[in-house]
Amino acid sequence: MTPQEPILSQAEPVFFVKDVAATIRYWQDVLGFPGKWTWGDPPTVGAVNWHGVHIQFALHDTLAHIPEGYSVWIRVRHIEALYAIHQQRKANIVVPLRQEPWGMAQYTVQDLNGCYASFAGPLTDKTVQSEALSPNIRVRIERPTPADYIRLSASVGWTDLTREQADVRISEAVTGVVAENTTTGEIIGCALLLGDNTSYYYVKDVMVHPAWQRKRAGTALMRALTDWLNANGADKALVSLITGETLEPFYQQFGFTQAFSMIRYVQRPPAQES
C-alpha cells in the first residue's frame, strides 16, 4: 500500500506573552482581528484570526521578556484601507506605509508586548509611471539563446540554471520573443510560450533586465507575444500564466483575467546512501 503524501495546510506563528487576555484584546480592538479563541481561565494560550490569518499567543513569563525576537509578516489586499484603520485606532506604527523596491508596499506595527507585525500588499490606487519605449529597443519573435536566457534569469534573481537546463526549457517552447538593445546588440528581455499548440498555451519566464524595467520593454514583449497568438495560435485555445498580485494589472491589459486554479510541486525524497 502506497503511503499517503503529507499535505501541509496552515502555519501559525506563536508569540510568548505575559498576559494572553490583554494581548488578544489589543489585537482585536486596535489591530482589528475579529475572531478569537482561548484556553484556560485566565487563559494560558489563545489566538486571534482574520480571514485566513491566525496568530497564537502563549503565556510564558521568561520568554515574554524578549519580544524583539518575535515578528510576523502578513500579506494584505487593499492595504491602504487597513493602514487607515490602524492609524485611526492609534496602533503603534513603527515603520510607515511605503513602497518597497521588491514590488509591494509595507508597514510595520508593534503591539503592547513589543512584538512586530508587518503588513504588505500591492497599492490599489497607485499609478505606475513608465518611460516610453526606447527607439533603440527592437522586439522580435524568436527564442532566446541559452546564454541570454541564463543571463536574464540571473539578473532578476531567479534560480541558477545550467546550460543543459536552459536548452531543455527553450527547446520545449512553441515560440519565444526577445527584446534587443540595437545600440549594443544585447538582449535585454525575453519570454517563452509553451503548450501543445492545439488547445493550450502557457506564457512563461517573462524577464526584463532590471536596468530596463519600467521602460515599456515588458509591455512590448507581451504585446508581440499576444499578436503572435492572435495570428498563429490555435482557435479557442486556452492561454494561461502564473503571476503575483503586484503584476496582475500588467497582464490584465493583454486580456488575462483571474481564474481559480490548483498547483502542486514534485517533491522527491532525498536519495538513500548505500
Side-chain angles (χ1 to χ4, degrees), residues 211-224:
W212 288 90
Q213 292 175 8
R214 300 288 176 88
K215 297 181 179 180
R216 310 292 292 179
T219 301
L221 287 168
M222 283 302 301
R223 183 167 291 122

Side-chain angles (χ1 to χ4, degrees), residues 4-231:
Q4 289 187 325
E5 179 180 348
I7 299 175
L8 307 183
S9 62
Q10 190 169 296
E12 300 182 18
V14 180
F15 291 165
F16 295 111
V17 300
K18 291 176 285 188
D19 189 326
V20 172
T23 300
I24 288 177
R25 284 196 300 271
Y26 180 89
W27 278 73
Q28 291 200 300
D29 297 343
V30 179
L31 299 186
F33 282 65
K36 73 170 185 177
W37 62 262
T38 60
W39 176 263
D41 186 15
T44 57
V45 66
V48 294
N49 63 80
W50 194 353
H51 299 131
V53 175
H54 300 253
I55 314 292
Q56 291 193 30
F57 310 105
L59 188 66
H60 198 303
D61 188 63
T62 302
L63 294 179
H65 289 287
I66 51 172
E68 62 270 13
Y70 305 137
S71 66
V72 61
W73 188 88
I74 302 171
R75 186 187 294 262
V76 180
R77 286 183 181 269
H78 311 300
I79 191 170
E80 299 97 326
L82 184 62
Y83 188 63
I85 290 172
H86 288 165
Q87 287 179 310
Q88 182 182 20
R89 297 186 181 186
K90 302 189 183 307
N92 182 18
I93 299 172
V94 294
V95 179
L97 180 65
R98 63 189 183 193
Q99 183 70 25
E100 299 291 353
W102 39 267
M104 283 190 180
Q106 178 173 303
Y107 68 97
T108 301
V109 302
Q110 188 177 36
D111 78 354
L112 75 169
N113 302 289
C115 304
Y116 296 97
S118 294
F119 299 91
L123 292 174
T124 55
D125 62 358
K126 178 187 66 173
T127 301
V128 177
Q129 298 295 330
S130 298
E131 300 177 15
L133 181 66
S134 169
N136 297 327
I137 298 301
R138 178 177 63 185
V139 175
R140 58 181 187 270
I141 295 294
E142 67 178 52
R143 298 179 182 87
T145 67
D148 286 330
Y149 183 85
I150 292 170
R151 178 177 52 81
L152 287 171
S153 181
S155 76
V156 297
W158 290 359
T159 306
D160 291 337
L161 296 171
T162 65
R163 174 61 183 257
E164 291 73 21
Q165 290 172 326
D167 280 335
V168 170
R169 292 191 185 186
I170 295 168
S171 64
E172 293 293 327
V174 174
T175 191
V177 58
V178 298
E180 177 192 8
N181 179 356
T182 57
T183 302
T184 63
E186 179 185 37
I187 299 300
I188 57 93
C190 74
L192 297 178
L193 183 69
L194 282 69
D196 60 11
N197 207 19
T198 301
S199 62
Y200 175 74
Y201 297 97
Y202 174 48
V203 178
K204 188 175 187 296
D205 297 342
V206 181
M207 300 184 287
V208 176
H209 191 282
W212 288 90
Q213 292 175 8
R214 300 288 176 88
K215 297 181 179 180
R216 310 292 292 179
T219 301
L221 287 168
M222 283 302 301
R223 183 167 291 122
L225 202 57
T226 302
D227 289 345
W228 185 93
L229 278 165
N230 291 338

Side-chain angles (χ1 to χ4, degrees), residues 245-274:
E245 292 176 42
T246 57
L247 287 176
E248 285 179 359
F250 171 75
Y251 288 108
Q252 285 171 350
Q253 65 183 308
F254 305 105
F256 289 90
T257 59
Q258 290 183 339
F260 292 102
S261 183
M262 299 178 71
I263 63 172
R264 75 179 298 273
Y265 293 97
V266 177
Q267 298 283 4
R268 291 193 178 91
Q272 299 291 328
E273 295 183 4
S274 56

